[in-house]
Amino acid sequence: MARALHKLSDVAVKAVKASGRHSDGGCLYLWVSPSGSKSWLFMWARDGKRREMGLGAYPTVSLAKARARAADCRSAVEEGRDPIAEKAKEAEPTFGECADKYITTIKSEWRNAKHEYQWNQTLTSFCESIRPKRVSTITTEDVLEVLAPIWQAKAETASRLRGRIERVLEFAKVKGWRSGENPAAWRGNLRNLLPKRQRLQRGPQPAMPYAEIPAFTARLRKAEAMAARALEFTILTVARSGETLGATWPEIDFKGKLWNVPKERMKAGAPHTVPLSVEALAILKALHEQRQEGQQFIFTRDSENPLSNMAMMMLLRRMKQTEITVHGFRSGFRDWCGDATSFPREVAEAALAHKVGDETERAYRRSDALEKRRKLMQAWADYLKASKASNVVKLRG
């Protein structure tokens, strides 16, 4: 058992960015994942084998609380007891504690840190009324109290929140903290209690005609909000919202003028390299100069968390663009490629990270397509700067 204790400080725990384990002594470690999330581990050896047990996510579990839990675990080990076995018999938590435990349990399933942030945000900000209650006492009335205020006004958020509450309560039942029916279940329960609403729209996203995008980006450049820089970058790179919001500085190759998006953050599950135009690089260089020490995400308000997944959409609403979506700019780009340029179809599709052809064909064309896409992305950036975009000129690929 390690003797040195309390090697870390609150300031150090908050500031540390390097992934891996950081010892506080006494078998207590702060684990920093490659995505930047932090959690506590208690590690000890028994019969020559190393064992480890999670003590909760930081900052939900503070340094002081983690030390107290580690002290209990050390006592158990010294007395020959098994902390993991005893944890399985732990006392019933509150809904908030149960939600935090569940997020810690499943976060390894997610491909980027945005999902963990969204789960934490919705199960905290919208569930204030039920977080202090014991998880076994949560009723259908409690769930309705949470959902009813946003059921019509924030339909998609409410649907996701209901599903997350349902999964937390399923987790509680498996752990033995609840019994009976799930009060957040939809069929045979909330479906009969919440008002009907318009079905969520799926399929093609409403898009701005490409002839109007240059004038819009000119307006966008005058806005100073971080969401404006994120949206402008998204338009220039024709990325998906999640790819932009989850972008980190290590993904940027300033020398090669490339943005290397790892497969974990791509819809198709394959890595994607984006050639950066002069204008996209200018945005990144300006933000790089302003970044805080240790900042991971590029587009952030507080240097620690990415912008909300609604930040760019809300910016569109403030700019009176109520009939389009962020994703729709990708459609505008694709229409521009087909109508106003001579770039080959497969180059345009590759720029959008769409799969074209079989695996052998994609591997054969990969290196050549990068330089062709570089020309395409710069042509797109040049078009967006055009003062009279309606005068369509055929660009040679």
Side-chain angles (χ1 to χ4, degrees):
M1 192 75 66
R3 293 183 178 179
L5 297 174
H6 301 176
K7 296 179 182 179
L8 300 174
S9 67
D10 287 315
V11 174
V13 170
K14 183 177 182 179
V16 66
K17 302 294 182 183
S19 61
R21 293 191 298 267
H22 303 268
S23 174
D24 184 53
C27 302
L28 176 63
Y29 295 84
L30 175 69
W31 165 251
V32 182
S33 73
S35 68
S37 62
K38 302 175 183 179
S39 58
W40 298 103
L41 292 175
F42 181 76
M43 301 179 63
W44 77 103
R46 170 165 286 179
D47 300 327
K49 295 182 180 180
R50 190 180 72 180
R51 305 191 69 192
E52 62 180 62
M53 181 175 73
L55 299 182
Y58 176 84
T60 302
V61 176
S62 65
L63 174 59
K65 187 178 291 186
R67 284 172 174 169
R69 292 181 180 181
D72 292 338
C73 291
R74 285 196 299 272
S75 296
V77 172
E78 290 168 359
E79 295 171 9
R81 293 181 283 117
D82 185 346
I84 293 179
E86 293 189 354
K87 185 182 179 183
K89 303 175 183 177
E90 60 190 322
E92 177 194 339
T94 64
F95 176 84
E97 293 168 341
C98 187
D100 296 339
K101 290 176 187 290
Y102 182 59
I103 291 172
T104 301
T105 300
I106 65 170
K107 66 181 181 181
S108 61
E109 302 174 7
W110 298 321
R111 294 194 295 185
N112 63 64
K114 180 186 73 171
H115 297 299
E116 182 179 355
Y117 170 78
Q118 290 173 344
W119 274 69
N120 275 315
Q121 196 272 336
T122 53
L123 289 171
T124 299
S125 61
F126 293 111
C127 296
E128 289 182 359
S129 62
I130 63 174
R131 283 185 68 87
K133 298 184 177 183
R134 291 293 170 188
V135 72
S136 66
T137 68
I138 302 300
T139 65
T140 298
E141 288 69 28
D142 292 322
V143 178
L144 284 172
E145 183 182 351
V146 170
L147 296 177
I150 61 172
W151 190 249
Q152 298 285 7
K154 300 180 178 180
E156 188 162 357
T157 298
S159 289
R160 290 176 178 174
L161 176 60
R162 185 208 62 77
R164 290 167 185 171
I165 294 174
E166 183 178 20
R167 290 181 65 181
V168 169
L169 296 178
E170 285 176 355
F171 172 72
K173 186 174 182 178
V174 171
K175 294 285 284 184
W177 296 324
R178 281 189 62 89
S179 61
E181 298 299 323
N182 193 319
W186 179 246
R187 292 180 180 274
N189 186 39
L190 295 181
R191 181 177 184 178
N192 301 316
L193 298 172
L194 287 165
K196 291 184 178 181
R197 63 190 183 195
Q198 184 176 358
R199 184 180 297 274
L200 296 178
Q201 297 298 313
R202 302 298 182 194
Q205 301 279 355
M208 177 181 288
Y210 67 81
E212 299 177 13
I213 300 180
F216 174 77
T217 53
R219 290 177 57 203
L220 195 58
R221 292 188 201 105
K222 297 177 182 179
E224 298 181 358
M226 181 62 73
R229 299 289 72 74
L231 181 54
E232 184 183 359
F233 183 79
T234 300
I235 295 172
L236 284 165
T237 58
V238 293
R240 296 179 177 88
S241 296
E243 294 157 14
T244 295
L245 296 175
T248 62
W249 287 116
E251 295 173 4
I252 305 301
D253 177 0
F254 282 104
K255 185 177 180 180
K257 302 178 182 179
L258 299 170
W259 173 24
N260 298 302
V261 189
K263 64 180 182 180
E264 292 79 13
R265 298 204 304 101
M266 292 300 300
K267 181 178 180 180
H272 181 53
T273 299
V274 182
L276 296 169
S277 62
V278 172
E279 291 70 18
L281 273 172
I283 293 173
L284 294 175
K285 288 177 180 178
L287 293 176
H288 194 257
E289 292 176 358
Q290 302 168 14
R291 79 192 191 286
Q292 297 184 29
E293 184 178 353
Q295 179 179 320
Q296 177 187 16
F297 294 103
I298 296 174
F299 300 101
T300 175
R301 284 198 181 97
D302 58 12
S303 79
E304 292 187 2
N305 298 303
L307 287 177
S308 162
N309 64 322
M310 289 297 294
M312 291 188 283
M313 181 60 76
M314 295 306 296
L315 174 65
L316 287 176
R317 298 298 174 259
R318 291 195 295 273
M319 296 178 73
K320 309 302 181 184
Q321 299 295 331
T322 58
E323 302 300 323
I324 64 172
T325 65
V326 177
H327 195 86
F329 287 105
R330 287 166 55 87
S331 298
F333 165 80
R334 187 63 186 88
D335 290 342
W336 171 80
C337 288
D339 294 348
T341 82
S342 298
F343 286 95
R345 168 183 172 274
E346 59 268 22
V347 176
E349 292 296 314
L352 292 165
H354 290 165
K355 290 185 177 181
V356 178
D358 59 26
E359 192 170 333
T360 302
E361 183 182 359
R362 289 195 297 271
Y364 178 78
R365 108 163 31 104
R366 188 173 297 136
S367 60
D368 184 49
L370 181 62
E371 290 310 309
K372 290 181 178 178
R373 285 195 288 121
R374 189 182 295 279
K375 294 177 182 178
L376 172 59
M377 300 317 295
Q378 189 58 56
W380 173 239
D382 293 341
Y383 169 76
L384 295 179
K385 292 190 300 182
S387 58
K388 295 182 179 180
S390 57
N391 296 331
V392 177
V393 178
K394 280 279 186 179
L395 299 171
R396 296 179 63 187

